[in-house]
Amino acid sequence: MARFASFVVLAISLASSVAAVPAHIPLAGMPVAKRDALIETLRAVKPEAPPPPLAFNGTKLVNDAAHPWKPLRKGDQRGPCPGLNTLASHGYLPRNGIITPAQLLNAVQEGYNAETILARRFTYAAILADGNLVTNLLSIGQKSPLTGPDPDAPATIGGLVNHGPFEGDASMTRNDAFFGDNFSFNETLWEELVDTANKFGAGKYNYTVAGELRYRRIQDSIANNPTFEFRNNRYFAAYTETLLTANLFLDGRSTDGQLDLKDARSFFADMRMPDDFHRAPRPLAAEGTDYIVNLHPFSPGYNKDGVNSFTLDPESASWTNDPMGCKLYKWYVEQVVVPAYPEPKGVLKRNLNLNLQYYYDTFAGCEQLFPYGKPEKDDDDN
Ligand code: HEM
């Protein structure tokens, strides 16, 4: 009888621990036995091919009646990306913040006119590092900054908030992970952005402000964050994000390249498109890179021994040594993906290979890597 009772307790606790695991839980880095047992309980989904570029790729009203802004509900997930937070709060993405790569690509193209290749590169890098490759789901955050931590989500379950190859240091409006909350809008950092815009942009955000702020945030992190990391994916993404702000948060009818700070704050802090917002006039991404990189040329590196110990890392991909992105691609596959997924098999291996293919497709001209062997034709038919 006692044995039966303890069996019932075990069965109930197993059932509740399985039920508590959300379908977007990242599989990267999980011990193999635990991961494979979990996979048995998940509903496997084959990732769709990335959606094509927009058929109509001009500007249009996107803060429209079909996409009203709505406040967060308890449990909605938001994270470090103001672009995606805003799309979720307008219903271009599922409002709960749990998304698929195809939904993400449709949303950034439709909502902002984001250029397809960069959007795909970000999307597949994100699902590979921070998503669940079996269920094909990714959380754009982990917790709701407005409603507080989701009490139902175990603290270790992340999505884009995971500090790693993508979420990183020296962000414009979010703290470095070393200081705690790395995803909520931070007023002190916003004031730094405003100050930079006042000094270099006559109170507006433009490419010059983007370049100055990028450099200033790097210097802040060197001086204050003993664990400052600024290499490979983070290095490129940090520059690109300052330009996404200038290119895609600017109303598509504007011709002067000057983003009003009230509009910028609406995206960054309120996750809300300004009234009457029109998306970019043509597909845009990191236009302006040469300009901001040349404003303050800076090479990748990290604080090796605490604050103010910034050390260059010539092994890291950079604007100067990796114009085609082949070093970045190799690093991501070999140093991020492969160590995160040892001994994959079955549906995990199939989905890894598909996502790696979609990621690779954004690096035309680079040598393709097949860390899990070349996919066999039948792998794709499951
Ligand atoms: C295409 C898929 C995208 C993914 C997977 C993605 C993901 C992310 C992630 C993980 C971060 C955090 C990086 C950090 O630590 O600062 C971030 C930041 C950012 N993202 Fe996105 N993003 C995407 C598209 C976009 C788009 C289309 C926009 C603009 C319309 C955008 C605007 C930004 C900005 C401005 C930041 C910097 C926030 C800050 O530094 O305060 N993102 N994104």
Side-chain angles (χ1 to χ4, degrees), residues 43-59:
R43 195 174 72 82
V45 172
K46 184 176 175 181
E48 296 166 55
L54 295 173
F56 168 67
N57 66 9
T59 186

Side-chain angles (χ1 to χ4, degrees), residues 80-84 104 108 112 114 118-119 122-123 126 160 166-169 171-174 234 241 244-245 248-249 268:
C81 176
L84 304 188
L104 208 178
V108 296
Y112 295 121
L118 182 92
F122 271 26
T123 299
L160 290 184
F166 212 139
E167 192 296 312
D169 295 333
S171 307
M172 291 181 284
T173 64
R174 270 69 177 165
R234 179 58 194 149
E241 287 156 13
L244 291 176
T245 303
L248 297 182
F249 290 163
F268 277 100

Side-chain angles (χ1 to χ4, degrees), residues 79-87 99 101 104-105 107-109 111-127 130 138 140 159-177 182-186 189 193 205 213-214 217 233-234 237-238 240-250 267-268 277 284-285:
C81 176
L84 304 188
N85 290 346
T86 302
L87 290 173
I99 65 172
L104 208 178
L105 285 167
V108 296
Q109 294 185 121
Y112 295 121
N113 215 351
E115 186 273 328
T116 305
I117 298 298
L118 182 92
R120 288 188 190 179
R121 188 175 291 186
F122 271 26
T123 299
Y124 292 104
I127 184 97
D130 297 328
L138 167 73
I140 65 168
L160 290 184
V161 296
N162 280 342
H163 182 60
F166 212 139
E167 192 296 312
D169 295 333
S171 307
M172 291 181 284
T173 64
R174 270 69 177 165
N175 248 331
D176 288 5
N182 64 342
F183 67 94
S184 302
F185 175 77
N186 180 299
L189 293 177
L193 186 152
Y205 186 99
L213 183 64
R214 173 53 31 247
R217 294 293 302 121
N233 200 58
R234 179 58 194 149
T240 300
E241 287 156 13
T242 63
L243 291 167
L244 291 176
T245 303
N247 293 329
L248 297 182
F249 290 163
L250 184 67
F267 288 99
F268 277 100
F277 182 70
L284 290 175

Side-chain angles (χ1 to χ4, degrees), residues 348-361:
L348 175 61
K349 183 170 163 189
R350 180 199 66 188
N351 287 4
L352 258 171
N353 278 330
L354 284 168
N355 283 296
L356 279 170
Q357 180 68 48
Y358 300 146
Y359 182 60
Y360 168 73
D361 291 342

Side-chain angles (χ1 to χ4, degrees), residues 79-97:
C81 176
L84 304 188
N85 290 346
T86 302
L87 290 173
S89 289
H90 278 272
Y92 279 97
L93 285 170
R95 290 182 188 266
N96 68 359

Side-chain angles (χ1 to χ4, degrees), residues 5-15:
S6 54
F7 169 76
V8 171
V9 170
L10 178 68
I12 290 170
S13 70
L14 269 180

Side-chain angles (χ1 to χ4, degrees), residues 14-236:
L14 269 180
S16 57
S17 71
V18 167
V21 173
H24 63 271
I25 186 173
L27 298 174
M30 238 185 231
V32 174
K34 187 177 167 199
R35 180 195 73 197
D36 290 350
L38 173 68
I39 289 174
E40 294 293 317
T41 71
L42 298 174
R43 195 174 72 82
V45 172
K46 184 176 175 181
E48 296 166 55
L54 295 173
F56 168 67
N57 66 9
T59 186
K60 67 171 187 176
L61 177 71
V62 284
N63 189 359
D64 58 11
H67 301 93
W69 181 86
K70 289 189 184 166
L72 294 177
R73 302 156 307 183
K74 183 170 170 297
D76 285 349
Q77 309 207 0
R78 297 292 185 270
C81 176
L84 304 188
N85 290 346
T86 302
L87 290 173
S89 289
H90 278 272
Y92 279 97
L93 285 170
R95 290 182 188 266
N96 68 359
I98 312 292
I99 65 172
T100 70
Q103 286 172 335
L104 208 178
L105 285 167
N106 280 322
V108 296
Q109 294 185 121
E110 188 58 28
Y112 295 121
N113 215 351
E115 186 273 328
T116 305
I117 298 298
L118 182 92
R120 288 188 190 179
R121 188 175 291 186
F122 271 26
T123 299
Y124 292 104
I127 184 97
L128 281 161
D130 297 328
N132 187 305
L133 292 182
V134 170
T135 59
N136 198 35
L137 292 173
L138 167 73
S139 164
I140 65 168
Q142 170 195 22
K143 312 165 190 169
S144 149
L146 293 190
T147 56
D150 178 352
D152 302 326
T156 50
I157 295 180
L160 290 184
V161 296
N162 280 342
H163 182 60
F166 212 139
E167 192 296 312
D169 295 333
S171 307
M172 291 181 284
T173 64
R174 270 69 177 165
N175 248 331
D176 288 5
F178 176 79
F179 302 110
D181 181 345
N182 64 342
F183 67 94
S184 302
F185 175 77
N186 180 299
E187 284 292 347
T188 312
L189 293 177
W190 172 255
E191 285 309 316
E192 208 169 307
L193 186 152
V194 171
D195 182 61
T196 311
N198 286 337
K199 283 198 177 107
F200 297 98
K204 305 273 183 179
Y205 186 99
N206 55 29
Y207 285 176
T208 305
V209 176
E212 295 296 341
L213 183 64
R214 173 53 31 247
Y215 188 66
R216 185 168 167 179
R217 294 293 302 121
I218 293 169
Q219 300 306 317
D220 281 353
S221 289
I222 291 175
N224 297 305
N225 177 357
T227 63
F228 179 48
E229 257 294 333
F230 204 65
R231 290 182 275 188
N232 294 304
N233 200 58
R234 179 58 194 149
Y235 172 86
F236 291 109

